[in-house]
């Protein structure tokens, strides 16, 4: 898979943009907000909720950060106007985290404030290890200011994650709200697991620890061993779609599941998502949109050539990943 992925990555610059666009079309809602809203409305019958991501990340000047603040503000307006069951996912570096921490925090707070006044949750996506601690610190400082509608993502592949779960859940108690995923960035072996089996085991341990610590746990994986493990752990703890018997939780919140949810990327393993939804589990689709779809797709594939393999497999063997 690695060799094949690397081969595709080397061929990418030769692929015409329209070919890449065709491939990306499955994973990106569109280049503007209108197409994103209509896609979510079309998906109404799939009994799912959404988190919206405006494409783009690490910026080079703070004017670019303003674009993201304004665009996310429009996203919130549209969620409210159309009464869509959606929250938002933002990348802290797109708000300026690597340029000027104080300005980034001000930008994030502006969006958080608006979201909070409409009871909409804001998830800080987790980027590479340069910003792991800084991203966690943003969540802690916002919660200290009284914003309860914020949480971040932790990556199962990182050695530090179990300690992060313990520390954050001790500080925030039942307001700890995580998305747990394997982590898309291929991190160095001195700070992360690098083999598939180790990453799955570590991610599953993190899911257990989050659930046991009373955290809201958004399980973001399309991988059967992770989903099977989660379903079994939820059953063992007596947590069901309508009942969370844990005493160390906050209880149900607007737009959320009973202590947990399953999250999927748009265009990936929709059949599995629909199956989980039909069993009553709350599911959420991560919906990226924006003009930066080309850069986004190419960068993701370069960061992790396995994605090139997933995408190629999807095209050649569509039955392995039903939309
Ligand atoms: P895999 O074993 O990689 O995938 C299982 C199967 O799912 C594959 O065989 C393939 O059929 C399918 N598949 C998986 N990914 C793709 C894809 N991109 N295209 C096509 N098919 C695919 N990572 C971060 O580092 N930070 C984040 O903030 C973050 N947010 C995420 C939010 C959501 C909702 C999801 C679902 C993932 C997120 N990720 C994030 C990515 C995540 O860390 C993994 O890199 C990604 O989900 C692949 O891991 P997997 O558990 O799905 O397992």
């Amino acid at each position: 898979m690695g060799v094949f992925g690397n081969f595709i990555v080397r061929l990418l610059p030769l692929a015409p943009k329209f070919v890449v666009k065709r491939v990306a079309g499955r994973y990106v809602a569109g280049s503007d907000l209108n197409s994103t809203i209509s896609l979510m409305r079309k998906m109404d019958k799939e009994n799912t909720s959404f988190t919206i991501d405006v494409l783009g990340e690490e910026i080079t000047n703070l004017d670019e950060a303003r674009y993201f603040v304004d665009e996310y503000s429009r996203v919130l307006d549209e969620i409210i106007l159309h009464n869509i069951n959606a929250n938002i996912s933002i990348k802290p570096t797109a708000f300026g985290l690597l340029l000027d921490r104080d300005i980034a925090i001000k930008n994030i707070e502006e969006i958080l404030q608006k979201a909070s006044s409409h009871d909409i949750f804001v998830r800080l996506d987790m980027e590479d290890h340069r910003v792991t601690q800084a991203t966690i610190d943003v969540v802690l400082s916002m919660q200290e200011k009284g914003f309860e509608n914020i949480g971040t993502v932790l990556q199962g592949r990182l050695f530090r994650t179990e300690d992060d779960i313990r520390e954050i859940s001790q500080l925030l108690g039942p307001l700890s709200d995580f998305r747990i995923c394997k982590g898309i960035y291929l991190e160095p072996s001195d700070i992360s697991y690098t083999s598939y089996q180790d990453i799955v085991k570590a991610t599953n341990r993190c899911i257990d620890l989050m659930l046991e610590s009373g955290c809201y746990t958004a399980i973001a994986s399309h991988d059967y061993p992770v989903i099977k493990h989660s379903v079994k752990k939820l059953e063992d703890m007596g947590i069901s779609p309508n009942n969370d018997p844990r005493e160390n939780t906050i209880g149900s919140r607007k737009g959320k599941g009973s202590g947990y949810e399953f999250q999927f990327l748009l265009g990936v393993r929709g059949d599995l998502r629909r199956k989980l939804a039909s069993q009553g589990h709350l599911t959420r689709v991560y919906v990226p949109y924006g003009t930066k779809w080309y850069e986004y797709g190419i960068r993701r594939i370069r960061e992790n050539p396995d994605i090139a393999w997933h995408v190629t497999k999807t095209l050649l063997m569509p039955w392995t990943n039903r939309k």
Side-chain angles (χ1 to χ4, degrees):
M1 191 155 63
V3 176
F4 186 80
N6 281 316
F7 176 66
I8 306 246
V9 170
R10 278 208 296 278
L11 286 183
L12 267 181
L14 305 176
K17 210 168 172 184
F18 78 89
V19 172
V20 181
K21 186 166 192 178
R22 188 108 199 271
V23 174
R26 182 189 177 100
Y27 305 103
V28 175
S31 49
D32 60 27
L33 185 51
N34 283 348
S35 42
T36 307
I37 299 294
S38 57
L39 177 114
M40 289 187 295
R41 297 184 86 180
K42 264 192 222 141
M43 288 177 72
D44 234 14
K45 56 183 178 310
E46 301 205 8
N47 187 20
T48 192
S49 59
F50 303 93
T51 186
I52 304 174
D53 164 54
V54 179
L55 285 174
E57 46 212 289
E58 200 170 335
I59 52 172
T60 50
N61 66 69
L62 288 167
D63 293 341
E64 289 179 70
R66 196 64 235 168
Y67 160 78
F68 286 99
V69 178
D70 293 344
E71 191 63 16
Y72 272 107
S73 179
R74 286 191 341 109
V75 171
L76 291 172
D77 288 338
E78 292 295 302
I79 290 175
I80 297 156
L81 178 70
H82 298 281
N83 195 21
I84 291 174
N85 186 359
N87 60 39
I88 57 174
S89 287
I90 69 179
K91 292 202 166 45
T93 62
F95 282 68
L97 194 63
L98 283 172
L99 295 179
D100 185 322
R101 190 178 170 274
D102 292 340
I103 292 184
I105 287 188
K106 251 179 83 192
N107 288 337
I108 293 171
E109 187 172 342
E110 189 177 328
I111 285 301
L112 198 53
Q113 176 75 61
K114 180 164 178 172
S116 167
S117 59
H118 296 280
D119 217 356
I120 294 175
F121 188 79
V122 177
R123 174 82 58 200
L124 301 190
D125 282 341
M126 186 55 84
E127 301 169 84
D128 67 73
H129 71 271
R130 290 172 304 162
V131 289
T132 310
Q133 191 57 50
T135 303
I136 292 171
D137 289 345
V138 173
V139 174
L140 296 178
S141 71
M142 292 298 156
Q143 289 253 2
E144 217 172 86
K145 285 187 177 188
F147 292 106
E148 298 184 347
N149 60 323
I150 184 169
T152 189
V153 180
L154 295 179
Q155 297 151 326
R157 73 167 66 228
L158 292 187
F159 294 153
R160 59 176 287 165
T161 298
E162 286 174 71
D163 287 338
D164 286 338
I165 298 167
R166 285 188 196 95
E167 205 174 305
I168 300 168
S169 60
Q170 223 162 43
L171 286 168
L172 299 183
L175 290 170
S176 322
D177 187 319
F178 299 112
R179 174 192 301 151
I180 173 73
C181 60
K182 290 179 185 170
I184 198 169
Y185 306 89
L186 297 184
E187 301 287 12
S189 60
D190 57 330
I191 60 164
S192 73
Y193 298 100
T194 53
S195 80
Y196 168 79
Q197 284 301 344
D198 286 345
I199 293 170
V200 169
K201 278 189 208 151
T203 304
N204 286 344
R205 282 199 305 274
C206 292
I207 291 167
D208 292 354
L209 187 55
M210 284 178 182
L211 288 170
E212 285 157 11
S213 311
C215 312
Y216 188 85
T217 307
I219 300 144
S221 173
H222 319 93
D223 201 15
Y224 294 114
V226 175
I227 292 179
K228 265 194 201 150
H229 174 90
S230 307
V231 169
K232 168 91 176 43
K233 180 70 183 173
L234 290 166
E235 274 169 19
D236 290 348
M237 291 183 71
I239 307 174
S240 67
N242 303 314
N243 180 36
D244 182 357
R246 294 176 299 171
E247 279 174 6
N248 50 354
T249 61
I250 198 170
S252 77
R253 301 171 82 183
K254 188 185 158 207
K256 297 264 187 177
S258 63
Y260 74 98
E261 63 188 49
F262 287 99
Q263 297 192 347
F264 286 73
L265 298 174
L266 181 68
V268 180
R269 294 217 157 143
D271 53 346
L272 181 56
R273 170 173 52 79
R274 287 185 287 273
K275 188 171 168 204
L276 288 165
S278 74
Q279 292 164 351
H281 302 289
L282 186 112
T283 64
R284 188 177 303 279
V285 183
Y286 186 99
V287 182
Y289 82 90
T291 51
K292 300 252 170 82
W293 56 267
Y294 182 79
E295 296 79 356
Y296 171 81
I298 299 284
R299 191 176 309 170
R300 285 287 87 80
I301 289 173
R302 288 223 168 95
E303 266 151 10
N304 188 345
D306 283 356
I307 291 174
W309 163 244
H310 293 329
V311 173
T312 311
K313 196 175 70 169
T314 296
L315 291 175
L316 299 178
M317 300 180 279
W319 59 90
T320 62
N321 176 23
R322 297 243 328 276
K323 218 174 171 179

